[in-house]
Amino acid sequence: MLKNVVTQILGTRFAREMKRLRPVIGQIKEQEARLADFSEDELKAQTEKFRGVIRDRTAEHEAALASLREERRHTENPGKRADLTQQIAATEKALNETIQTVLDELLPEVYATVREACRRLMGRPIEVMGNDMVWDMVPYDVQLIGGIVLHQGKIAEMATGEGKTLVATMPIYLNALAGKGVHLVTVNDYLARRDSQWMGTVFEYLGLSVGTLDDTQPGTEERRAAYNADVTYGTNNEFGFDYLRDNMVIDLAQRVQRPHYYAIIDEVDSVLIDEARTPLIISGPAGRDERDVYRKYNAQVASMARKQAQIVNTLVAEAIEELEEAAPEDQETRWHAGLKLLAARRGAPKNKRLLRILTETGVKQQVQRVEADMMRDKRLPEVDEMLLYSMDEKGHTIQISDQGLDVLSPNDANAFVVPDISEDVKKIEDDEALTVDEKRAKIEELER
């Protein structure tokens, strides 16, 4: 009832949002009336005019960024480089905030420019996916509202037939004016190609370049050129795999993507929910590691695995013998046999002889009872100490026991102990004889 009262007084959230956006729609129409008298060349010149406004408002930040990056490039002191990196990050943040402020101010005139461009294109022949078509779209008010919402970084839910493809042209054009690249993410390559050619009609009319990832091969100059275009269309998988590939390159010059700036996701529920359930996995050749440490421990690990197999086989054989000889009422012997099978299962869950005995009547239940007893008494580590290492299949982890560590490193008990460096870090930080830069250098060396 309280919710109903509040709704009656303040209105629904949708109604409040619409009330807030109505004045912006009015501003767009005022600008559109002014643009109606522009010649075609004057209308196309709007793009450079907008970019000039952005350049003027961001010139100070851009100059500061260039200076900081140049200084960092010639600075070898680790502490100084860290400080410069923080300053660069802060300046980049200020630059992006300034750009967003300018874009918000330009929005009415920019959206009016797109709408007028669509009107000028009416009836012109275009080719989309090899099919001859005629441009016949001008954004309605509901599409202007959708475009404003998308620019604000929100989700615009539109019914079928409301023209969401055309809606995206306005926020794409607006954000592309910053020159940092805009991505349009779709769910399949057909939509990416179709929309890049279809909506690209408007962008190219206004002087923007358009690229399509699915028309290029990964890692090529053509793919890099697609990312360097003002507007880039592609599928979520192509954007995702290019990001993964860029994180595997040897040289930064081999990257194809620019720093990420602004993206619109078509069918957002499909891309961020349905498609996101399938992980993107990329791999490369592992090669052979010729380092001395690898050769040393590779042989020792193989040896430990063989010894573990012998231990497990012995445990299973002893358990089978005890179970065969134990009377039904001899619970103690059966319990100890279950303990050995439990250890074998933790050491080699896929041991064939073990899997076979566990299928016999009552054996698996006996192992489960022993496991429950050991867990209740918090004695499970005692089971693992019967092995060189224990395996957790669900967690995909291996825990090496003390005797396993002795096998891997018989001469150094602490070889596999991760050191706690917090005390050493505190000593460095408390050393008043060191400067700030010297402390940073020492801590970095300690961490390495």
Side-chain angles (χ1 to χ4, degrees):
M1 185 170 63
L2 178 61
K3 181 179 179 181
N4 291 337
V5 172
V6 173
T7 301
Q8 289 176 2
I9 297 173
L10 301 178
T12 63
R13 182 179 178 183
F14 175 77
R16 294 196 300 272
E17 191 72 11
M18 290 295 293
K19 184 178 180 181
R20 187 177 64 82
L21 294 177
R22 286 295 178 191
V24 183
I25 303 300
Q27 294 171 17
I28 294 173
K29 291 183 176 180
E30 289 176 7
Q31 292 290 340
E32 188 179 2
R34 183 178 64 84
L35 295 172
D37 296 329
F38 276 35
S39 67
E40 192 161 322
D41 289 339
E42 289 175 327
L43 185 65
K44 291 180 178 180
Q46 287 284 94
T47 299
E48 186 54 37
K49 168 194 165 184
F50 295 140
R51 284 180 161 168
V53 173
I54 295 172
R55 283 195 297 268
D56 291 342
R57 294 279 291 275
T58 59
E60 185 177 343
H61 292 309
E62 293 285 7
L65 266 179
S67 176
L68 288 169
R69 285 169 178 160
E70 183 67 18
E71 185 178 357
R72 185 177 64 175
R73 190 176 296 114
H74 295 91
T75 299
E76 297 181 358
N77 184 293
K80 181 64 174 176
R81 285 182 63 85
D83 289 339
L84 289 170
T85 300
Q86 291 181 353
Q87 292 179 45
I88 289 172
T91 307
E92 287 177 338
K93 181 180 179 181
L95 171 62
N96 287 330
E97 288 174 350
T98 301
I99 291 174
Q100 286 307 306
T101 300
V102 178
L103 293 182
D104 290 342
E105 295 172 0
L106 292 174
L107 187 148
E109 187 176 358
V110 168
Y111 279 29
T113 299
V114 174
R115 200 175 189 188
E116 180 62 23
C118 290
R119 183 170 285 108
R120 302 283 178 97
L121 288 168
M122 286 290 287
R124 293 196 185 186
I126 59 175
E127 183 178 325
V128 179
M129 303 286 284
N131 299 316
D132 293 331
M133 298 176 60
V134 174
W135 183 267
D136 59 354
M137 294 182 291
V138 177
Y140 293 104
D141 288 2
V142 66
Q143 292 169 315
L144 295 176
I145 292 171
I148 297 170
V149 169
L150 288 178
H151 170 66
Q152 294 172 345
K154 300 176 182 177
I155 295 174
E157 182 179 4
M158 304 190 72
T160 302
E162 285 190 321
K164 58 188 171 89
T165 305
L166 183 62
V167 167
T169 58
M170 293 171 284
I172 286 177
Y173 175 67
L174 174 62
N175 285 275
L177 294 171
K180 294 178 177 290
V182 171
H183 296 166
L184 193 292
V185 186
T186 64
V187 291
N188 59 62
D189 55 357
Y190 170 79
L191 289 176
R193 289 192 178 96
R194 186 201 69 178
D195 293 353
S196 65
Q197 296 174 23
W198 195 12
M199 300 300 113
T201 303
V202 179
F203 300 135
E204 290 172 354
Y205 177 86
L206 291 171
L208 297 186
S209 57
V210 181
T212 310
L213 297 185
D214 296 85
D215 290 339
T216 63
Q217 292 298 317
T220 62
E221 285 299 323
E222 291 75 16
R223 178 62 62 95
R224 187 175 293 106
Y227 277 112
N228 286 331
D230 294 312
V231 184
T232 306
Y233 283 80
T235 61
N236 53 303
N237 283 341
E238 288 299 322
F239 282 114
F241 276 121
D242 281 337
Y243 175 80
L244 294 178
R245 293 186 193 100
D246 279 358
N247 280 275
M248 296 174 65
V249 297
I250 299 174
D251 189 336
L252 293 180
Q254 296 174 326
R255 290 182 173 180
V256 296
Q257 290 189 348
R258 290 195 277 175
H260 303 139
Y261 173 66
Y262 178 83
I264 291 179
I265 303 177
D266 186 21
E267 303 288 355
V268 65
D269 53 342
S270 177
V271 172
L272 295 188
I273 299 177
D274 300 333
E275 293 289 324
R277 293 174 182 172
T278 304
L280 300 181
I281 300 173
I282 193 167
S283 61
R288 295 182 62 187
D289 196 326
E290 301 297 336
R291 290 175 298 176
D292 292 339
V293 175
Y294 175 81
R295 287 201 296 268
K296 172 186 174 182
Y297 285 112
N298 183 47
Q300 290 181 230
V301 168
S303 174
M304 184 170 69
R306 288 193 295 270
K307 291 179 180 178
Q308 174 94 330
Q310 294 173 359
I311 293 173
V312 169
N313 287 332
T314 300
L315 288 170
V316 173
E318 291 177 354
I320 292 174
E321 185 177 350
E322 291 176 6
L323 288 173
E324 290 175 347
E325 296 178 356
E329 65 276 5
D330 188 357
Q331 294 300 317
E332 183 177 353
T333 301
R334 300 183 72 83
W335 191 92
H336 282 289
L339 178 64
K340 291 178 180 179
L341 291 176
L342 172 62
R345 193 182 69 181
R346 293 179 67 82
K350 297 192 185 307
N351 181 281
K352 293 182 179 180
R353 198 174 182 191
L354 170 67
L355 294 175
R356 192 160 50 246
I357 188 64
L358 288 177
T359 61
E360 296 187 7
T361 305
V363 176
K364 187 175 182 179
Q365 290 77 4
Q366 180 64 47
V367 173
Q368 290 173 340
R369 281 194 293 271
V370 173
E371 185 176 29
D373 292 344
M374 299 300 284
M375 291 179 66
R376 184 186 63 245
D377 297 336
K378 299 181 180 180
R379 295 173 56 197
L380 210 53
E382 295 178 16
V383 180
D384 294 342
E385 284 303 322
M386 299 167 66
L387 306 161
L388 299 182
Y389 55 86
S390 59
M391 302 172 64
D392 178 5
E393 284 191 299
K394 290 183 179 179
H396 300 286
T397 59
I398 288 180
Q399 182 66 40
I400 303 178
S401 66
D402 287 342
Q403 61 172 328
L405 291 175
D406 291 339
V407 171
L408 284 181
S409 182
N411 300 320
D412 185 0
N414 295 320
F416 294 92
V417 177
V418 179
D420 180 4
I421 66 171
S422 57
E423 292 185 7
D424 293 331
V425 170
K426 189 174 188 309
K427 289 179 181 177
I428 294 174
E429 290 176 342
D430 293 343
D431 191 344
E432 297 180 356
L434 298 174
T435 65
V436 174
D437 291 340
E438 289 172 340
K439 289 179 180 179
R440 284 176 177 162
K442 281 185 172 292
I443 290 173
E444 288 177 2
E445 178 61 28
L446 181 64
E447 289 173 346
R448 281 193 292 271

Short mmCIF file of all heavy atoms in Angstrom, two decimals, residues 383-405:
data_model
loop_
_atom_site.label_atom_id
_atom_site.label_comp_id
_atom_site.label_asym_id
_atom_site.label_seq_id
_atom_site.Cartn_x
_atom_site.Cartn_y
_atom_site.Cartn_z
N VAL A 383 45.52 -39.40 7.05
CA VAL A 383 45.34 -40.25 5.87
C VAL A 383 46.29 -39.80 4.76
O VAL A 383 46.95 -40.62 4.10
CB VAL A 383 43.88 -40.18 5.38
CG1 VAL A 383 43.69 -41.07 4.15
CG2 VAL A 383 42.92 -40.59 6.48
N ASP A 384 46.39 -38.49 4.56
CA ASP A 384 47.24 -37.97 3.49
C ASP A 384 48.72 -38.24 3.76
O ASP A 384 49.51 -38.33 2.81
CB ASP A 384 47.00 -36.47 3.32
CG ASP A 384 45.59 -36.16 2.83
OD1 ASP A 384 44.95 -37.09 2.31
OD2 ASP A 384 45.13 -35.02 2.99
N GLU A 385 49.09 -38.36 5.03
CA GLU A 385 50.49 -38.62 5.34
C GLU A 385 50.90 -40.05 4.99
O GLU A 385 52.08 -40.40 5.02
CB GLU A 385 50.77 -38.35 6.82
CG GLU A 385 50.86 -36.88 7.18
CD GLU A 385 51.93 -36.14 6.38
OE1 GLU A 385 53.01 -36.73 6.13
OE2 GLU A 385 51.70 -34.99 5.98
N MET A 386 49.91 -40.89 4.67
CA MET A 386 50.22 -42.24 4.19
C MET A 386 50.68 -42.20 2.74
O MET A 386 51.15 -43.20 2.20
CB MET A 386 48.98 -43.14 4.31
CG MET A 386 48.47 -43.29 5.75
SD MET A 386 46.81 -44.02 5.84
CE MET A 386 47.13 -45.67 5.21
N LEU A 387 50.53 -41.02 2.09
CA LEU A 387 50.82 -40.87 0.68
C LEU A 387 51.94 -39.85 0.46
O LEU A 387 52.36 -39.15 1.40
CB LEU A 387 49.57 -40.38 -0.06
CG LEU A 387 48.29 -41.21 0.13
CD1 LEU A 387 47.07 -40.39 -0.25
CD2 LEU A 387 48.36 -42.48 -0.69
N LEU A 388 52.40 -39.75 -0.78
CA LEU A 388 53.34 -38.69 -1.13
C LEU A 388 52.58 -37.40 -1.47
O LEU A 388 53.08 -36.31 -1.28
CB LEU A 388 54.20 -39.11 -2.33
CG LEU A 388 55.07 -40.35 -2.11
CD1 LEU A 388 55.89 -40.64 -3.35
CD2 LEU A 388 55.97 -40.19 -0.90
N TYR A 389 51.36 -37.56 -1.99
CA TYR A 389 50.51 -36.41 -2.26
C TYR A 389 49.07 -36.90 -2.35
O TYR A 389 48.80 -38.05 -2.68
CB TYR A 389 50.90 -35.68 -3.56
CG TYR A 389 50.94 -36.56 -4.78
CD1 TYR A 389 49.78 -36.81 -5.55
CD2 TYR A 389 52.13 -37.15 -5.20
CE1 TYR A 389 49.81 -37.62 -6.67
CE2 TYR A 389 52.17 -37.95 -6.33
CZ TYR A 389 51.02 -38.19 -7.06
OH TYR A 389 51.04 -39.00 -8.17
N SER A 390 48.13 -36.01 -2.03
CA SER A 390 46.71 -36.32 -2.13
C SER A 390 46.10 -35.46 -3.23
O SER A 390 46.56 -34.36 -3.50
CB SER A 390 46.00 -36.07 -0.81
OG SER A 390 46.13 -34.72 -0.41
N MET A 391 45.04 -35.98 -3.85
CA MET A 391 44.43 -35.31 -5.00
C MET A 391 42.98 -34.95 -4.69
O MET A 391 42.25 -35.77 -4.14
CB MET A 391 44.49 -36.21 -6.24
CG MET A 391 45.90 -36.63 -6.62
SD MET A 391 45.92 -37.88 -7.93
CE MET A 391 45.21 -36.96 -9.27
N ASP A 392 42.60 -33.72 -5.06
CA ASP A 392 41.21 -33.28 -4.96
C ASP A 392 40.71 -33.06 -6.38
O ASP A 392 41.01 -32.05 -7.01
CB ASP A 392 41.12 -31.99 -4.14
CG ASP A 392 39.70 -31.45 -4.05
OD1 ASP A 392 38.77 -32.14 -4.54
OD2 ASP A 392 39.51 -30.35 -3.50
N GLU A 393 39.96 -34.03 -6.90
CA GLU A 393 39.51 -33.95 -8.29
C GLU A 393 38.58 -32.77 -8.53
O GLU A 393 38.67 -32.09 -9.55
CB GLU A 393 38.81 -35.25 -8.68
CG GLU A 393 39.77 -36.40 -8.92
CD GLU A 393 39.08 -37.58 -9.56
OE1 GLU A 393 38.15 -38.13 -8.94
OE2 GLU A 393 39.47 -37.96 -10.67
N LYS A 394 37.66 -32.53 -7.59
CA LYS A 394 36.71 -31.44 -7.77
C LYS A 394 37.41 -30.09 -7.75
O LYS A 394 37.11 -29.20 -8.54
CB LYS A 394 35.64 -31.48 -6.69
CG LYS A 394 34.69 -32.67 -6.83
CD LYS A 394 33.60 -32.63 -5.76
CE LYS A 394 32.64 -33.80 -5.94
NZ LYS A 394 31.57 -33.80 -4.90
N GLY A 395 38.35 -29.92 -6.84
CA GLY A 395 39.06 -28.65 -6.74
C GLY A 395 40.24 -28.53 -7.67
O GLY A 395 40.88 -27.48 -7.75
N HIS A 396 40.58 -29.65 -8.38
CA HIS A 396 41.71 -29.67 -9.30
C HIS A 396 43.01 -29.24 -8.60
O HIS A 396 43.78 -28.44 -9.11
CB HIS A 396 41.46 -28.75 -10.51
CG HIS A 396 40.25 -29.13 -11.30
ND1 HIS A 396 40.21 -30.22 -12.14
CD2 HIS A 396 39.02 -28.58 -11.36
CE1 HIS A 396 39.02 -30.32 -12.69
NE2 HIS A 396 38.27 -29.34 -12.23
N THR A 397 43.22 -29.79 -7.39
CA THR A 397 44.42 -29.44 -6.63
C THR A 397 45.12 -30.70 -6.15
O THR A 397 44.51 -31.77 -6.04
CB THR A 397 44.08 -28.57 -5.42
OG1 THR A 397 43.17 -29.28 -4.55
CG2 THR A 397 43.44 -27.26 -5.85
N ILE A 398 46.40 -30.55 -5.86
CA ILE A 398 47.21 -31.63 -5.28
C ILE A 398 47.92 -31.08 -4.05
O ILE A 398 48.49 -29.98 -4.11
CB ILE A 398 48.24 -32.16 -6.29
CG1 ILE A 398 47.54 -32.98 -7.38
CG2 ILE A 398 49.30 -33.00 -5.60
CD1 ILE A 398 48.49 -33.54 -8.42
N GLN A 399 47.83 -31.80 -2.96
CA GLN A 399 48.50 -31.40 -1.72
C GLN A 399 49.65 -32.37 -1.45
O GLN A 399 49.43 -33.56 -1.27
CB GLN A 399 47.51 -31.42 -0.54
CG GLN A 399 48.10 -30.96 0.79
CD GLN A 399 48.48 -29.49 0.78
OE1 GLN A 399 47.76 -28.67 0.23
NE2 GLN A 399 49.61 -29.17 1.37
N ILE A 400 50.87 -31.87 -1.46
CA ILE A 400 52.03 -32.72 -1.24
C ILE A 400 52.25 -32.92 0.26
O ILE A 400 52.24 -31.95 1.02
CB ILE A 400 53.29 -32.11 -1.89
CG1 ILE A 400 53.04 -31.87 -3.38
CG2 ILE A 400 54.49 -33.03 -1.71
CD1 ILE A 400 54.19 -31.21 -4.10
N SER A 401 52.44 -34.15 0.68
CA SER A 401 52.67 -34.46 2.10
C SER A 401 54.13 -34.20 2.45
O SER A 401 54.97 -33.91 1.59
CB SER A 401 52.31 -35.91 2.38
OG SER A 401 53.21 -36.77 1.69
N ASP A 402 54.44 -34.33 3.74
CA ASP A 402 55.82 -34.10 4.19
C ASP A 402 56.78 -35.09 3.54
O ASP A 402 57.88 -34.71 3.12
CB ASP A 402 55.89 -34.21 5.72
CG ASP A 402 55.25 -33.02 6.40
OD1 ASP A 402 55.06 -31.98 5.72
OD2 ASP A 402 54.93 -33.11 7.60
N GLN A 403 56.35 -36.36 3.46
CA GLN A 403 57.25 -37.34 2.84
C GLN A 403 57.36 -37.10 1.33
O GLN A 403 58.39 -37.39 0.71
CB GLN A 403 56.81 -38.77 3.14
CG GLN A 403 55.44 -39.15 2.64
CD GLN A 403 55.18 -40.65 2.84
OE1 GLN A 403 56.10 -41.46 2.77
NE2 GLN A 403 53.93 -41.01 3.09
N GLY A 404 56.32 -36.52 0.74
CA GLY A 404 56.40 -36.16 -0.67
C GLY A 404 57.40 -35.04 -0.89
O GLY A 404 58.16 -35.05 -1.87
N LEU A 405 57.41 -34.06 0.02
CA LEU A 405 58.39 -32.98 -0.07
C LEU A 405 59.81 -33.50 0.11
O LEU A 405 60.75 -33.01 -0.51
CB LEU A 405 58.09 -31.90 0.99
CG LEU A 405 56.80 -31.09 0.77
CD1 LEU A 405 56.56 -30.16 1.94
CD2 LEU A 405 56.89 -30.29 -0.53
#
